[in-house]
Amino acid sequence: MTGIQLYNTLARAKQAFEPQDPKNVRMYVCGPTVYDYAHIGNARPVIVFDTLFRLLRHVYGEAHVTYARNITDIDDKIMKRAADEGVSIKTISERYARVYNEDMGTLGALQPTIQPKATEHLSEMIRMMQTLIAKGHAYEAEGHVLFNVPSMENYGRLSGHSRDELIAGARVDVAPFKKDPADFVLWKPSTDEQPGWNSPWGRGRPGWHLECSCMIEKHLGETIDIHGGGQDLIFPHHENEIAQSECTHGAQFVRYWMHNGYLTVDGEKMSKSLGNFHTVHDLIADHPGEALRLSLLTAHYRQPIDFSLANVSEQKRRLDRWYRLTESVASATEVPASVIEALADDLNTPRAIAALDALATKETAADLKAGAQFMGFLTMAADKWFQGDAADGDDAAEIEAMIAARKAARANKDFAESDRIRDALLAKGIVLEDSAGGTTWRRAD
């Protein structure tokens, strides 16, 4: 069995991965807050941990790995969007959750084993808060329930921040009803106009941190193997998840914490004001999902990555080369050891991509295909890849009709008409390739 090494944020070191139970490997990754289209930065953790999910299934067996990625479907941003459109929060959250799953699927991400929704876990949240209050780790104040940070001796060990840094970084209001400035909200009251649920502390809604703790508890248990997410979630979100879960259960919450680095666009922080804000939904309209996926894996997951459309085009050309080399390979199942070894070394995707490039020869095309497909590439027939969006629908029918007309012109020795049709197709960005087996077509590079 291949040994996996993972960098554990909590230990601040790369460690051998040893699951609690090799027959029940459990991973949780923070999912989207569904009020709008996901941007390309949101896609990075999806692709990173999808790659880890594939590796874990390869090593431990598909039936022995459970991957949960949640949907946050109650949040102030969702509430604002719903109010602006005059619809329910469920309408907004279901709309964008559906698009999110479709868009991430286009990037080659497998569906997680479980996709829990926050609003389906209110009873678990109330029960956890009651336990925390009973143990002296939480308290009620003016319709709020707050976690009592000083009650946890080792609070802050994930981020390594000092107490002053924790208070400053928490970005929470120092409300008069708080016992300590660092205390954070588990439950907050809702007005009559706001969505809310009944609780022992009045009608209200949960805090974001509480949701993940309760979804993990219900679906994966008190202690899980891997918890992943973006670097921006280390504090306060993941720090607070640890506090809630460990103070509730008195057991270690997560054995390996993993965090991917930040994403910039063309060397700058992504923002709408700079005009460099890319949603996945918009990008996949103009670029193949596999090229976007490959672009996101060209940097090691723990390092920052600078996303650019130029790099996406470069990865498209790399994939073109791989598709051409493997188009005659019928099937390939044995994943090359060089690819597995690279990924087992703390998910070293740049090294895995280099291993695939090393296999990009006629002699090793089957290995290339097996390794690439394992990582979510070369998933379609080569002709469909090169035809792109035109492979389906009216465009394809029109192209095939023109090819048939050209064939008829050539049969009649009307080469001027044959050349005219070829040139007309080329003007549309369609390249014809004649062979003994007939004429095929592809999109121009």
Side-chain angles (χ1 to χ4, degrees):
M1 182 179 289
T2 300
I4 298 175
Q5 297 275 327
L6 298 176
Y7 185 88
N8 186 349
T9 306
L10 185 61
R12 291 163 178 74
K14 192 157 70 171
Q15 299 176 325
F17 175 66
E18 296 177 0
Q20 285 186 106
D21 178 2
K23 300 293 185 184
N24 184 21
V25 182
R26 287 161 286 177
M27 177 171 73
Y28 181 91
V29 175
C30 290
T33 300
V34 282
Y35 67 96
D36 206 340
Y37 296 125
H39 58 66
I40 190 63
N42 301 139
R44 191 181 192 194
V46 175
I47 300 309
V48 164
F49 292 104
D50 175 72
T51 305
L52 180 57
F53 182 37
R54 291 165 182 262
L55 177 65
L56 292 171
R57 296 200 316 172
H58 176 82
V59 173
Y60 295 99
E62 290 186 20
H64 303 304
V65 180
T66 303
Y67 169 27
R69 188 184 68 216
N70 75 297
I71 294 285
T72 296
D73 59 349
I74 174 64
D75 179 86
D76 288 352
K77 291 177 180 177
I78 299 173
M79 289 161 51
K80 183 180 185 306
R81 186 69 176 253
D84 289 346
E85 294 191 19
V87 297
S88 69
I89 60 167
K90 186 175 182 181
T91 297
I92 295 296
S93 64
E94 288 187 348
R95 176 200 305 165
Y96 288 108
R98 182 180 66 254
V99 174
Y100 176 86
N101 284 329
E102 291 171 354
D103 289 350
M104 296 306 136
T106 301
L107 298 185
L110 304 172
Q111 270 292 96
T113 319
I114 307 166
Q115 193 171 51
K117 294 181 179 179
T119 56
E120 297 171 353
H121 297 77
L122 269 297
S123 60
E124 289 82 5
M125 295 180 204
I126 290 170
R127 188 165 59 247
M128 182 173 282
M129 285 185 281
Q130 289 173 324
T131 300
L132 289 168
I133 290 171
K135 290 186 171 187
H137 292 297
Y139 58 93
E140 188 272 338
E142 299 182 19
H144 295 76
V145 178
L146 296 110
F147 186 89
N148 180 14
V149 168
S151 73
M152 185 181 186
E153 185 177 340
N154 58 359
Y155 180 84
R157 71 185 190 280
L158 180 67
S159 60
H161 291 330
S162 68
R163 177 171 168 75
D164 288 344
E165 288 172 325
L166 291 171
I167 294 171
R171 301 187 298 276
V172 293
D173 296 330
V174 183
F177 51 77
K178 283 189 175 185
K179 291 182 179 180
D180 188 275
D183 294 349
F184 60 88
V185 171
L186 303 176
W187 186 263
K188 52 190 172 185
S190 293
T191 65
D192 292 341
E193 295 77 31
Q194 292 174 323
W197 291 263
N198 293 326
S199 81
W201 313 283
R203 184 175 174 276
R205 59 194 192 278
W208 174 39
H209 314 305
L210 182 67
E211 298 171 1
C212 286
S213 283
C214 293
M215 287 185 276
I216 289 170
E217 175 193 56
K218 179 174 181 179
H219 297 285
L220 301 178
E222 295 179 5
T223 302
I224 65 172
D225 294 303
I226 298 169
H227 193 319
Q231 185 179 332
D232 56 311
L233 298 182
I234 294 174
F235 184 83
H237 186 50
H238 290 164
E239 198 80 75
N240 292 350
E241 281 187 56
I242 292 172
Q244 296 157 168
S245 296
E246 294 195 354
C247 288
T248 295
H249 303 301
Q252 183 181 15
F253 176 41
V254 174
R255 303 179 73 243
Y256 300 84
W257 283 97
M258 296 179 66
H259 295 92
N260 63 271
Y262 293 111
L263 179 143
T264 56
V265 175
D266 297 322
E268 296 186 281
K269 184 176 180 180
M270 185 167 54
S271 73
K272 292 180 180 177
S273 61
L274 290 175
N276 66 351
F277 189 89
H278 297 297
T279 69
V280 176
H281 200 66
D282 287 341
L283 286 168
I284 59 177
D286 299 316
H287 305 278
E290 288 188 17
L292 293 163
R293 180 186 181 91
L294 187 54
S295 181
L296 288 172
L297 293 176
T298 52
H300 190 273
Y301 79 93
R302 285 193 287 117
Q303 300 302 316
I305 188 169
D306 187 41
F307 178 84
S308 70
L309 296 181
N311 185 260
V312 174
S313 296
E314 181 182 338
Q315 304 318 315
K316 167 66 166 58
R317 290 190 291 274
R318 174 181 258 150
L319 287 163
D320 286 347
R321 187 171 72 253
W322 291 357
Y323 267 105
R324 285 195 182 97
L325 278 165
T326 60
E327 59 186 333
S328 62
V329 176
S331 64
T333 56
E334 189 67 32
V335 183
S338 58
V339 174
I340 297 300
E341 287 167 5
L343 296 178
D345 180 15
D346 193 30
L347 221 58
N348 192 332
T349 54
R351 185 175 140 202
I353 293 167
L356 292 175
D357 275 336
L359 295 169
T361 69
K362 288 183 179 180
E363 293 74 24
T364 54
D367 288 335
L368 168 62
K369 188 165 190 172
Q373 288 184 336
F374 176 74
M375 290 184 65
F377 308 111
L378 306 188
T379 60
M380 61 179 73
D383 59 342
K384 295 293 186 185
W385 169 262
F386 288 114
Q387 290 168 7
D389 292 339
D392 301 306
D394 295 339
D395 282 353
E398 180 185 351
I399 292 165
E400 293 294 348
M402 292 176 72
I403 290 173
R406 176 174 174 268
K407 182 179 180 181
R410 294 179 78 185
N412 291 328
K413 301 192 183 308
D414 187 351
F415 299 113
E417 175 63 5
S418 168
D419 290 345
R420 186 196 68 76
I421 293 171
R422 176 186 281 275
D423 292 343
L425 284 167
L426 189 59
K428 293 174 176 285
I430 303 300
V431 176
L432 300 185
E433 296 179 343
D434 296 317
S435 68
T439 301
T440 58
W441 61 273
R442 62 176 174 83
R443 282 286 186 194
D445 294 341

